[in-house]
Amino acid sequence: MLTFWLFLAQLATVALMLALCYRVLGDHIAHTFTSHRDLRIERGFYRLIGVDSASQQTWPVYLRSVLAFSIIGVLLVYLLQRLQAWLPYSLGLGPVPEGLSFNTAISFVTNTDWQSYSPETTVGYSVQMAALTVQNFVSAAVGLAVAVALIRGLAARRSGTIGNFWVDLTRGILRILLPLSVIFTIVLIAGGAIENLNAVQTVHTLTGGTQTLPGGPVASQEAIKLLGNNGGGFFNANSAHPFENPTPWTNVVEVFLMLLVPFCLPRAFGTMVGDRRQGYAIVAAMGVIFVASVSLFTWLESTTSGTATAAAGGALEGKEERFGILGSTLFGTTSTLTSTGAVNAAHDSLTPLGGMMTMINMMTGEVAPGGIGAGLYGMLVMAIVAVFLAGLMVGRTPEYLGKKIGSREVKLASLYFLTTPVIVLVGTGLSFALPGVAQNVEKTTIFNPGQHGFSEILYAFTSAANNNGSAFAGISANTPWMNAALGAAMFLARFIPIVFVLALAGSLAAQEKTPATSGTLPTHRPQFVGLLVGTILIITALTYFPVIALGPLTEGLH
């Protein structure tokens, strides 16, 4: 009973903090992207890169800007890793190998932060700050910009443009991400997270022994890693490390940080389309899925099956004692339902069905609330699908926010939600089917044969394709095949859906708004929330149930 009340207390604390921020931050985000006034520092940056902030872009131009910016980012991060030995604060570390540099560059530019390496022994402070932390800001801002472009498409009337990517990117960083990161860096330092440029130090313990203590600018990276739904740890233990996440109360703060912007974006959406009830409906759907997931995950990890588990009071292997089961399942649910991928427990040590829950969270498309920007535009695409299905059932032309959902819009939405599953299933299948690759994977990658080994590979491609970054860490992912295959999965699954989202934004923006009639489906009522949640769950189940049955489900029921 005490465990139950502790769970409710943590969940209620996070919910209260989000509720207090929902209106304030949501309205600030909406104002940021609708204001016609540039800050002085923004005007200087626009002059530097030759951008007219008053100009608007069509969706193909907006897309080309996103792709060009991201590809340049990949090249810069790759070069900084390869030149690490000549950089200051490299801590004596040499260049990062080519394959690993390729994988890591794509990982951080796509907001995935998949790490096939141990940061303490692979990258120095210059690479951490100039390459990885910078991408934590800009990759999050890219997702935010794409979401705003889709909102503009829904709000516009016969417009050929959806905004200016360079303006959206700059404002997202300078007006939202950077100020919040500074504030929460100070909060984390107050909680015990470290922030320095000290090299590794050897100290003497009270017992006469010695211990090696790492240093680094941890708190500043931790703040944007969580706020921007990035997830890459400064240390290999990620948010289980006491220098990243020292106490139970910082654990609650970190959960709050992961949810803050994604849960406030529906308010910005409602404000920008002129009907805040639409934002409430979207956030309600997100909340229903989140509460159901964290409750089921916590129950699965707390269920005492087996002598050792019963004696411990739950499945405690791989969990930090200072967080316990409740702090671990709340963090794990948040991390996998957003695109963060940070961990404060070893996901590979979860119970089979508990591990299955983290996979299902990602397989929903990470829309509850999802990653920064990506969660909202994913949810809006699913809302369009739900409206289309409702239209089929009543025999009327579907409409969403006054925009007719025709064959073009349905095709783009369908291609959006089919892209990620195809990449996940093809990548997993090729790892076990290609001659030479399968044998190499079984010998050098999988250390847990059988169903759990299959689950580890499935989790890796699910995480990569959903730009999450967490892992069942019982595999060796730093191999030629895994670096190349996961790198390709991250890149394709990030940018192909963005193509469809921006094309959808352009198509919607070109339409005139249709006045609501008595036959128009209300999309702000509880009935639509239920339809939207049901659509997400049914699509996820139909797509992934067979492959889940081969791995975690079979292992859990064995």
Side-chain angles (χ1 to χ4, degrees), residues 183-202:
I183 292 169
F184 284 100
T185 295
I186 296 170
V187 172
L188 291 174
I189 291 173
I194 65 171
E195 181 72 20
N196 58 58
L197 292 175
N198 296 336
V200 174
Q201 301 179 61
T202 300

Side-chain angles (χ1 to χ4, degrees), residues 354-430:
M356 180 185 71
M357 283 303 303
T358 60
M359 275 194 259
I360 291 174
N361 287 343
M362 293 183 283
M363 290 170 175
T364 60
E366 296 177 330
V367 293
I372 184 167
L376 179 62
Y377 65 66
M379 184 63 89
L380 293 178
V381 170
M382 296 309 295
I384 288 171
V385 174
V387 166
F388 171 70
L389 293 176
L392 289 179
M393 289 187 282
V394 298
R396 293 184 62 89
T397 301
E399 299 171 9
Y400 186 56
L401 301 182
K403 299 299 180 79
K404 290 188 179 295
I405 308 303
S407 61
R408 176 179 171 80
E409 289 76 24
V410 172
K411 289 174 184 175
L412 290 170
S414 300
L415 288 170
Y416 173 90
F417 72 71
L418 287 173
T419 298
T420 300
V422 168
I423 293 171
V424 171
L425 299 176
V426 169
T428 303
L430 290 178

Side-chain angles (χ1 to χ4, degrees), residues 69-122:
F69 179 76
S70 300
I71 290 171
I72 291 172
V74 170
L75 295 175
L76 290 175
V77 176
Y78 178 86
L79 287 174
L80 284 169
Q81 291 177 90
R82 297 293 296 143
L83 297 173
Q84 175 170 250
W86 293 274
L87 298 177
Y89 293 105
S90 65
L91 306 181
L93 298 170
V96 180
E98 293 93 333
L100 184 56
S101 292
F102 164 81
N103 182 279
T104 303
I106 290 178
S107 173
F108 278 79
V109 169
T110 58
N111 198 241
T112 310
D113 287 26
W114 172 272
Q115 293 173 294
S116 297
Y117 60 92
S118 175
E120 297 96 317
T121 58
T122 308

Side-chain angles (χ1 to χ4, degrees), residues 196-440:
N196 58 58
L197 292 175
N198 296 336
V200 174
Q201 301 179 61
T202 300
V203 299
H204 294 280
T205 66
L206 295 175
T207 60
T210 59
Q211 186 174 0
T212 301
L213 297 179
V218 177
S220 55
Q221 180 164 319
E222 190 76 7
I224 186 58
K225 144 192 160 179
L226 299 163
L227 182 68
N229 300 131
N230 296 281
F234 197 93
F235 302 111
N236 194 41
N238 207 289
S239 289
H241 198 291
F243 287 174
E244 289 195 30
N245 189 8
T247 65
W249 76 262
T250 60
N251 192 63
V252 172
V253 169
E254 295 196 0
V255 169
F256 166 72
L257 276 177
M258 288 187 275
L259 297 172
L260 179 57
V261 177
F263 259 125
C264 291
L265 272 174
R267 170 75 179 193
F269 159 68
T271 301
M272 291 175 71
V273 299
D275 185 355
R276 286 174 176 157
R277 299 174 302 173
Q278 303 295 334
Y280 292 133
I282 294 297
V283 81
M286 291 175 172
V288 167
I289 296 174
F290 182 88
V291 171
S293 176
V294 71
S295 300
L296 183 55
F297 186 19
T298 302
W299 177 73
L300 290 170
E301 288 298 299
S302 302
T303 302
T304 55
S305 57
T307 305
T309 307
L316 287 169
E317 179 190 324
K319 298 179 177 67
E320 287 292 312
E321 193 65 33
R322 67 186 185 278
F323 305 139
I325 292 175
L326 304 179
S328 300
T329 55
L330 178 59
F331 195 102
T333 299
T334 303
S335 177
T336 51
L337 273 176
T338 62
S339 66
T340 311
V343 295
N344 72 347
H347 284 196
D348 203 36
S349 293
L350 297 171
T351 62
L353 296 181
M356 180 185 71
M357 283 303 303
T358 60
M359 275 194 259
I360 291 174
N361 287 343
M362 293 183 283
M363 290 170 175
T364 60
E366 296 177 330
V367 293
I372 184 167
L376 179 62
Y377 65 66
M379 184 63 89
L380 293 178
V381 170
M382 296 309 295
I384 288 171
V385 174
V387 166
F388 171 70
L389 293 176
L392 289 179
M393 289 187 282
V394 298
R396 293 184 62 89
T397 301
E399 299 171 9
Y400 186 56
L401 301 182
K403 299 299 180 79
K404 290 188 179 295
I405 308 303
S407 61
R408 176 179 171 80
E409 289 76 24
V410 172
K411 289 174 184 175
L412 290 170
S414 300
L415 288 170
Y416 173 90
F417 72 71
L418 287 173
T419 298
T420 300
V422 168
I423 293 171
V424 171
L425 299 176
V426 169
T428 303
L430 290 178
S431 297
F432 291 102
L434 283 179
V437 172
Q439 292 84 346
N440 188 57

Side-chain angles (χ1 to χ4, degrees), residues 37-176:
R37 182 168 174 257
D38 298 323
L39 302 179
R40 180 180 297 178
I41 188 173
E42 293 170 348
R43 291 195 294 269
F45 178 70
Y46 299 146
R47 284 195 295 270
L48 180 65
I49 63 175
V51 168
D52 178 6
S53 63
S55 67
Q56 298 287 296
Q57 296 176 324
T58 61
W59 79 262
V61 177
Y62 202 102
L63 174 63
R64 287 198 295 270
S65 300
V66 170
L67 295 177
F69 179 76
S70 300
I71 290 171
I72 291 172
V74 170
L75 295 175
L76 290 175
V77 176
Y78 178 86
L79 287 174
L80 284 169
Q81 291 177 90
R82 297 293 296 143
L83 297 173
Q84 175 170 250
W86 293 274
L87 298 177
Y89 293 105
S90 65
L91 306 181
L93 298 170
V96 180
E98 293 93 333
L100 184 56
S101 292
F102 164 81
N103 182 279
T104 303
I106 290 178
S107 173
F108 278 79
V109 169
T110 58
N111 198 241
T112 310
D113 287 26
W114 172 272
Q115 293 173 294
S116 297
Y117 60 92
S118 175
E120 297 96 317
T121 58
T122 308
V123 290
Y125 299 161
S126 291
V127 171
Q128 289 273 23
M129 292 186 291
L132 308 187
T133 304
V134 167
Q135 286 302 320
N136 283 347
F137 281 96
V138 298
S139 67
V142 167
L144 188 57
V146 173
V148 169
L150 180 57
I151 296 173
R152 291 196 187 106
L154 287 163
R157 294 172 179 266
R158 290 195 174 278
S159 173
T161 61
I162 57 173
N164 186 310
F165 169 72
W166 304 105
V167 173
D168 293 340
L169 176 78
T170 304
R171 290 185 175 186
I173 295 172
L174 294 181
R175 301 192 191 187
I176 300 169

